[in-house]
Amino acid sequence: MSNSGSNASWWERAEKVLPGGVNSPVRAFKSVPGDPLVFNKAAGCHFTDEDGNQYIDWCLSWGPMILGHADCDVEAAAIEALREGASFGAPSRREVLLAEAFLERLPHFDQARFVSSGTEAVMSAIRLARGFTGRDVIVKFVGCYHGHTDSMLVEAGSGLATFGAPSSGGVPTGFTDSTAVLPLDDDEALEAFFSEHGDKVAALIIEPFPANAGLLIQRPQFLQKCRDLTTKHGALLIFDEVITGFRVGPSGAAPLLGITPDMGTYGKIIGGGFPVGAYAARRQIMDHISPNGQVYQAGTLSGNPVAMAAGLATLEKTGRPGFYADLERKGARLQAGLEKAAADNGVTATVVRQGSLFWTVFQPEAPRSFAAIDGSKMEIYGRMHRDLIDRGVYLAPSGWEVGFVSAAHTEDDIDTTVAAVADTFKSWS
Ligand SMILES: *Cc1c(COP(=O)(O)O)cnc(C)c1O
């Protein structure tokens, strides 16, 4: 088989040997028109496909590449580690170093356990929460994504508390009937649920800035209510910071919001582009995980030195003075530019943003719950997506997904993107 080809020839081959042509579903462009591009290299914020076209990338591997692609320090650290052996399956210095760097940024936790994905982090955190509390029920919210572990693949209720029916084939109802699903931004539903079932709840899990069904920024009072009710009923509060950790600020969302969760789950950025996840808590909770405690969790490749080295280099660079202020400035410039492009061309759109996370939604106001998102508008996003590909800009291939600003995006990249968006909107009128 040939090693070279075009986007179209690679995609044709991909569809034969990979289900849907992909290894993760959103990559398949099912929510936007056209076939996926097939990429062959990336550097900084630039992405090159097999036809040789270059794009400004605002998807950035769905968040991990906060420094941009192929950052030279991350690359050097990973190569140095690789030369010393890709995986040990035994204690090694880099996992200690990453844990120390990680916990230094998260003083509300004492210990962390590294795994290989965000999904695995959540799965393990939930098991630990259940083992620690001796309770079964996990509360999650409609529109929050916590990876694809069985018990978290639960369908949205219709505004009322529901005990979940699985939203994926292959998940027995027995696996989700201890998962309760509540709407975001609804204090009454939350209170009602806890007053009835609070003594059975092991944990409430929430993305502190929900960023997997657009960006649904919550009222601080609602998040505080999550904290107060879990405390009152002896349940744990888990912040799923797989996207927000080291993204929305030097330590993620918890310190920014002034709310201290009992556990946190991490991924994406902490691997610097390699497969890493982590969960963390106070020692009294972490003591329940094996080998110290009765809750089992393990991993052949967990803490592998190459991924640890990449994560460490990434955390080191994001810890430099002014790093997040720079991202904030860039995010604000992009937001203002996109909003102006829409207004100038009579397009109704809102750009929701938290630091370097942004989401363009074709509605007059930022929604705060899944039900408040007008799904019929996703078709507009699809058109924009395709038109921007033609103009050298690559956005996440779904209107339900957020975009990511990296340190590698320059003002020039932002202005070029805004001009392409303005040109696209103009072409529609
Ligand atoms: C991406 C994500 C996950 C899943 O992480 P994977 O590494 O894709 O398994 C879990 N929770 C949140 C909030 C995420 O954004």
Side-chain angles (χ1 to χ4, degrees):
M1 282 285 201
S2 161
N3 262 333
S4 62
S6 61
N7 283 347
S9 68
W10 277 114
W11 181 241
E12 196 189 319
R13 283 168 69 177
E15 283 195 291
K16 286 203 184 106
V17 291
L18 302 168
V22 293
N23 283 303
S24 192
V26 195
R27 300 177 193 173
F29 276 37
K30 295 297 184 201
S31 343
V32 293
D35 281 340
L37 308 176
V38 180
F39 290 99
N40 68 12
K41 57 175 180 278
C45 69
H46 298 284
F47 217 5
T48 308
D49 69 15
E50 292 284 357
D51 290 346
N53 299 315
Q54 219 188 60
Y55 306 87
I56 300 172
D57 181 16
W58 296 101
C59 184
L60 290 162
S61 191
W62 307 91
M65 317 315 292
I66 194 169
L67 304 174
H69 295 285
D71 176 82
C72 56
D73 297 307
V74 175
E75 185 186 285
I79 289 172
E80 182 187 70
L82 183 56
R83 290 208 169 114
E84 293 168 7
S87 182
F88 296 163
S92 66
R93 113 184 153 263
R94 289 185 178 91
E95 59 189 359
V96 179
L97 291 170
L98 184 58
E100 286 171 353
F102 175 91
L103 292 165
E104 196 184 332
R105 300 268 276 270
L106 300 164
H108 49 292
F109 298 136
D110 298 321
Q111 291 189 324
R113 165 75 53 95
F114 293 115
V115 292
S116 300
S117 69
T119 293
E120 218 184 323
V122 170
M123 179 185 84
S124 310
I126 284 174
R127 186 181 303 142
L128 177 53
R130 285 173 164 157
F132 177 76
T133 58
R135 300 171 176 183
D136 289 341
V137 173
I138 304 292
V139 177
K140 81 173 281 290
F141 293 93
V142 181
C144 283
Y145 178 65
H146 302 294
H148 64 89
T149 188
D150 288 324
S151 66
M152 291 291 100
L153 290 176
V154 185
E155 193 121 62
S158 56
L160 292 170
T162 50
F163 273 92
S167 58
S168 162
V171 180
T173 45
F175 284 32
T176 57
D177 57 14
S178 295
T179 308
V181 189
L182 296 173
L184 287 164
D185 190 44
D186 187 337
D187 301 60
E188 273 171 37
L190 190 60
E191 271 163 23
F193 184 86
F194 269 89
S195 62
E196 196 173 336
H197 304 287
D199 60 339
K200 298 186 212 62
V201 176
L204 177 154
I205 184 165
I206 186 168
E207 299 180 64
F209 294 105
N212 278 285
L215 182 56
L216 304 171
I217 295 177
Q218 297 302 293
R219 286 172 294 111
Q221 302 91 309
F222 181 73
L223 294 170
Q224 189 61 51
K225 186 138 282 174
C226 291
R227 175 67 283 181
D228 295 345
L229 287 171
T230 44
T231 303
K232 180 174 164 199
H233 292 273
L236 301 182
L237 175 65
I238 305 175
F239 270 4
D240 182 353
E241 297 230 40
V242 173
I243 277 197
T244 53
F246 311 102
R247 162 67 61 186
V248 297
S251 311
L256 209 64
L257 294 162
I259 295 176
T260 306
D262 301 297
M263 297 178 84
T265 52
Y266 296 84
K268 300 195 170 114
I269 286 173
I270 58 160
F274 288 81
V276 183
Y279 59 100
R282 286 282 182 213
R283 181 187 294 272
Q284 88 195 86
I285 296 175
M286 294 305 272
D287 266 344
H288 286 70
I289 206 78
S290 51
N292 292 352
Q294 296 299 310
V295 179
Y296 192 71
Q297 189 271 309
T300 302
L301 297 173
S302 295
N304 100 75
V306 181
M308 297 292 106
L312 199 55
T314 303
L315 283 203
E316 193 278 314
K317 283 187 99 165
T318 64
R320 293 181 186 173
F323 183 86
Y324 289 93
D326 177 56
L327 282 184
E328 170 62 31
R329 259 193 312 276
K330 289 172 176 170
R333 186 181 183 95
L334 180 66
Q335 177 181 22
L338 294 177
E339 284 175 345
K340 182 167 185 308
D344 287 352
N345 293 286
V347 173
T348 301
T350 304
V351 181
V352 189
R353 185 177 68 85
Q354 182 66 44
S356 57
L357 284 175
F358 69 96
W359 180 47
T360 307
V361 60
F362 294 92
Q363 292 177 217
E365 274 157 30
R368 279 202 298 258
S369 69
F370 187 75
I373 303 175
D374 181 353
S376 72
K377 298 292 197 291
M378 293 304 163
E379 187 247 318
I380 308 178
Y381 182 93
R383 280 172 65 199
M384 173 174 78
H385 184 265
R386 190 32 67 170
D387 288 352
L388 286 175
I389 283 178
D390 294 340
R391 289 167 173 82
V393 173
Y394 185 76
L395 297 180
S398 163
W400 299 94
E401 304 288 346
V402 294
F404 301 90
V405 182
S406 75
H409 288 101
T410 63
E411 289 193 350
D412 235 27
D413 295 313
I414 294 166
D415 297 348
T416 304
T417 299
V418 166
V421 171
D423 193 48
T424 294
F425 289 165
K426 199 166 158 213
S427 75
W428 293 353
S429 59

